Amino acid sequence: MIHLRSHELQARAEKLLPGGVNSPVRSFRAVGGAPPWFAHGAGAWLEDVDGNRYVDFIASWGALLFGHAHPPMVEAVQQAVTRGASLGVSTPAELELAEAVHEAYPACEMLRLVNSGTEAVMAAVRVARGALGRPGMIKFSGGYHGHADLFLSDAGSGLATLGVASSQGVPSGAIADTVTVPYNDAEAVSAALDQQPGRFSCIVVEPVAGNMGCVPPDPGFLPALRTLADRHGVFLIFDEVMTGFRLARGGAAERYGVRPDLATLGKVIGGGLPVGAYGGRADLMQRVAPLGKVYQAGTLSGNPLAMAAGLSSLQAIAQQPDLYTRLEAAGAALEEGLNQAVRAAGVAARVQRVGSMMTIFFQADPVRSFADARRSDTAAFARFHAALLAAGVLWPPSQFEAAFFGAAHGPKEIEHALRAFPAAVAAAAVSS
Ligand code: PMP
């Protein structure tokens, strides 16, 4: 596989863009490789600027459920742009998207549309803090909720009350009220709430973690969070930016039967264009400006092109009642293929999957938390990744990013991946 043009572009880009990219993981630094640059996508396939083709398991980091350039989406966006790219005033498509979200995700009794997942989670926490007048927020290690200051904190050593900034430029004050506890550890949440009654406004959780690789909630974990939130009078926020409309039409809330007070959405609801949303109990959302005193705004919020793309994505979901069953079947085939390859290679690896999100962790034990995930052999993952890339399979370039697939991954694409897995897993097993 030749990557001449990609290398040229990357070299040029590195002079101008930090790391040559506009979002860090795209640099491939986590796998030590040189990132291909891509010319276009169609369905489940991406073609790079040197003409190499790949079955895409990044799927725009989970935003795509129907593949690249899904024809109804292309048409909807083309039509929308002829009516004006941004009117800056209310248009019917915003209401239609909000209604579609509300119908699929009933916990969003009211909602507000924004431009990204980061914005959505930032605002949802502001609503919770505003409603209770308490600053504290509990989140989980290995969770990702966007790059707003208040989330960029890791668990400090020992004391759950003292976090450390996980990025330079984050003032200690910005994370002073962020408490980070291990994922799947309801006891730790309970202890934090007990230790400091009256401090917390909310618990923010990825109901299926996807940002440390795919880590499902233990049975009982989400119900325990619900119970704890109720008992302590704090709000439960499901960050469903990744899981919303992916794991079920009603997201993880539907799949696990737990109703959050507030939820955040993104990715799939924009169908590949920048859209996020936060919503929840009407009494909480009525606190948002202009009704209430929790301020949040956006120049491009409800943008007509983004609304058209999002609506086409949600309409396609509504029109395909067997969508999630088909994704489950495709996922089971991929999971089984990876597991067979793992057994054949005799490598320590573990495949974890929920619906159309999956990760192969290069370690023997189940991964229930970020501490577990971090024990993975990232060098083995890098070899696996490089071998897949050479075989025309684009896997996310980090051990800690979930792989995604969608309705465009048909039998041909699944077969293509299954053929590539054995050699890639074998490559992971052999350290050079
Ligand atoms: N929350 C979760 C669970 C996410 O996965 C992400 C993005 N990966 C975000 C928030 C942030 O979304 P965005 O990148 O659109 O700002």
Side-chain angles (χ1 to χ4, degrees), residues 86-397:
S86 175
L87 306 195
V89 284
S90 298
T91 59
E94 299 168 51
L95 179 56
E96 285 169 40
L97 187 65
E99 285 172 345
V101 171
H102 166 71
E103 199 217 318
Y105 201 112
C108 285
E109 294 167 5
M110 291 181 81
L111 63 147
R112 166 69 55 87
L113 295 166
V114 295
N115 303 296
S116 68
T118 297
E119 273 185 75
V121 202
M122 201 170 82
V125 172
R126 188 176 298 150
V127 170
R129 287 173 159 176
L132 289 180
R134 301 177 193 158
M137 169 187 74
I138 296 176
K139 71 171 185 69
F140 296 89
S141 197
Y144 180 69
H145 306 290
H147 65 88
D149 280 358
L150 75 160
F151 297 112
L152 295 182
S153 148
D154 288 331
S157 52
L159 269 186
T161 44
L162 283 182
V164 287
S166 57
S167 163
Q168 288 183 354
V170 172
S172 55
I175 53 159
D177 296 300
T178 302
V179 167
T180 306
V181 297
Y183 194 73
N184 271 324
D185 190 345
E187 286 291 308
V189 176
S190 178
L193 290 166
D194 280 341
Q195 270 164 28
Q196 292 171 299
R199 178 179 180 196
F200 294 102
S201 62
C202 59
I203 304 165
V204 185
V205 66
E206 285 180 71
V208 171
N211 287 289
M212 49 175 141
C214 179
V215 179
D218 285 349
F221 176 58
L222 299 175
L225 295 184
R226 181 67 274 171
T227 306
L228 284 168
D230 291 340
R231 185 180 307 150
H232 290 268
V234 306
F235 300 121
L236 179 60
I237 304 178
F238 275 3
D239 181 351
E240 298 232 36
V241 167
M242 200 177 260
T243 52
F245 291 94
R246 175 162 289 281
L247 299 186
R249 201 159 157 249
E254 177 187 321
R255 195 165 172 128
Y256 295 94
V258 176
R259 189 180 172 109
D261 301 298
L262 291 162
T264 57
L265 295 159
K267 301 195 192 258
V268 173
I269 65 163
L273 268 77
V275 184
Y278 64 101
R281 280 169 38 180
D283 63 314
L284 295 180
M285 291 304 291
Q286 277 162 356
R287 294 176 176 272
V288 175
L291 280 188
K293 293 187 173 164
V294 175
Y295 190 71
Q296 181 274 314
T299 300
L300 293 179
S301 297
N303 172 268
L305 308 191
M307 297 299 103
L311 267 172
S312 97
S313 164
L314 300 201
Q315 280 161 0
I317 291 171
Q319 284 158 6
Q320 301 186 20
D322 65 340
L323 172 68
Y324 296 102
T325 322
R326 282 193 288 129
L327 292 179
E328 195 59 46
L334 291 165
E335 184 179 348
E336 177 53 23
L338 277 175
N339 278 325
Q340 273 176 19
V342 167
R343 285 192 293 270
V347 65
R350 181 140 200 124
V351 182
Q352 298 195 175
R353 179 181 70 86
V354 181
S356 55
M357 296 167 59
M358 68 192 293
T359 299
I360 175 167
F361 289 102
F362 285 94
Q363 62 160 303
D365 299 322
V367 174
R368 296 178 51 247
S369 68
F370 192 41
D372 294 344
R374 275 213 293 233
R375 283 193 282 271
S376 305
D377 181 347
T378 52
F381 177 84
R383 293 191 293 274
F384 166 79
H385 182 270
L388 280 186
L389 195 71
V393 174
L394 182 67
W395 203 257

